[in-house]
C-alpha cells in the first residue's frame, strides 16, 4: 500500500509540474509600437495596441475591414507606420478617410495584403528563385515587387515607390505582419 501511495504521489507531482510548466511557458512576442504582439491574437487584436499604427487602425476601421482582418485568413500584411502616412502629401489621409472615398481607401489598404502566411524566409526564397526579385498578387488585385537591398527586404508598388521592411515576421493567429516605412499605392 505504501508503494502504491508513493507511485501515486510521484505521478501527481509529475502531472502538476507538467501542468505548471505548460502555464509558465510564455508566448514568443515581438515588440511593435511599444506593445507586445502575441502570436495567439489576430491581426486586429495586436494592431490596436501599437502606438506606431494608429493611423492604419483608423483607416482599417473606416474601410470596414476589421471583421475581415480578424477572420481566419491567413493574411500577410505590410503595415505602414504612422510616419509613413505622415509622409504622404498633405490632406491625403484626411481625404481617404472620408466616407465617400471608402472604395479608394479599401483599394489602398488591400494593396498592402497578400493572401496566405508569407514570412521573410519565404519571400527571400522567392527573390532568390526569381533571380533577384519576386512578385506577389495582393488582395486588391495588383502586384507588389520584392527585392533585397543589402540585408533589407524592400517592397515596391506599381508606381515604383519602395518601402523597407523595418520589422519582419510578426506572427499572428491568422497570418503575419511585416512593418514597413512607406505607404504603398496601387
Amino acid at each position: 500500500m505504501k508503494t502504491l501511495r508513493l507511485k501515486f504521489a510521484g505521478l501527481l507531482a509529475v502531472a502538476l509540474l507538467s501542468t505548471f510548466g505548460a502555464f509558465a511557458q510564455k508566448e514568443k512576442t515581438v515588440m511593435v509600437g511599444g506593445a507586445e504582439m502575441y502570436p495567439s491574437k489576430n491581426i486586429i487584436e495586436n494592431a490596436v495596441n501599437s502606438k506606431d499604427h494608429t493611423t492604419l487602425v483608423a483607416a482599417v476601421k473606416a474601410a470596414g475591414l476589421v471583421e475581415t482582418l480578424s477572420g481566419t485568413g491567413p493574411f500577410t500584411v505590410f503595415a505602414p507606420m504612422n510616419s509613413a502616412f505622415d509622409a504622404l502629401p498633405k490632406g491625403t489621409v484626411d481625404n481617404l478617410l472620408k466616407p465617400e472615398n471608402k472604395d479608394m481607401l479599401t483599394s489602398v489598404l488591400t494593396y498592402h495584403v497578400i493572401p496566405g502566411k508569407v514570412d521573410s524566409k519565404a519571400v527571400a526564397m522567392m527573390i532568390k528563385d526569381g533571380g533577384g526579385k519576386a512578385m506577389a498578387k495582393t488582395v486588391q488585385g495588383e502586384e507588389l515587387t520584392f527585392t533585397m537591398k543589402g540585408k533589407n527586404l524592400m517592397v515596391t508598388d506599381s508606381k515604383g515607390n519602395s518601402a523597407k521592411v523595418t520589422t519582419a515576421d510578426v506572427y499572428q493567429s491568422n497570418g503575419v505582419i511585416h512593418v514597413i516605412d512607406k505607404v504603398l499605392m496601387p
Side-chain angles (χ1 to χ4, degrees), residues 16-80:
L16 287 173
L17 287 173
S18 297
T19 302
F20 177 74
F23 284 116
Q25 288 179 349
K26 188 177 177 192
E27 288 183 79
K28 185 177 179 192
T29 61
V30 176
M31 293 295 286
V32 175
E36 287 184 293
M37 300 289 119
Y38 292 91
S40 61
K41 293 184 177 183
N42 68 44
I43 291 166
I44 297 299
E45 290 170 331
N46 275 318
V48 298
N49 295 315
S50 170
K51 69 178 176 22
D52 291 343
H53 292 90
T54 56
T55 305
L56 178 61
V57 168
V60 166
K61 287 177 180 177
L65 294 172
V66 170
E67 188 175 323
T68 300
L69 292 175
S70 296
T72 57
F75 306 104
T76 299
V77 177
F78 294 91

Side-chain angles (χ1 to χ4, degrees), residues 94-130:
D94 291 336
N95 191 43
L96 284 171
L97 292 175
K98 291 179 181 175
E100 62 269 22
N101 294 327
K102 183 178 177 181
D103 289 344
M104 188 183 335
L105 176 62
T106 300
S107 178
V108 170
L109 292 175
T110 56
Y111 189 58
H112 289 78
V113 181
I114 295 173
K117 188 174 186 176
V118 185
D119 65 12
S120 62
K121 286 182 183 178
V123 175
M125 185 60 70
M126 290 167 44
I127 292 169
K128 183 180 176 192
D129 291 347

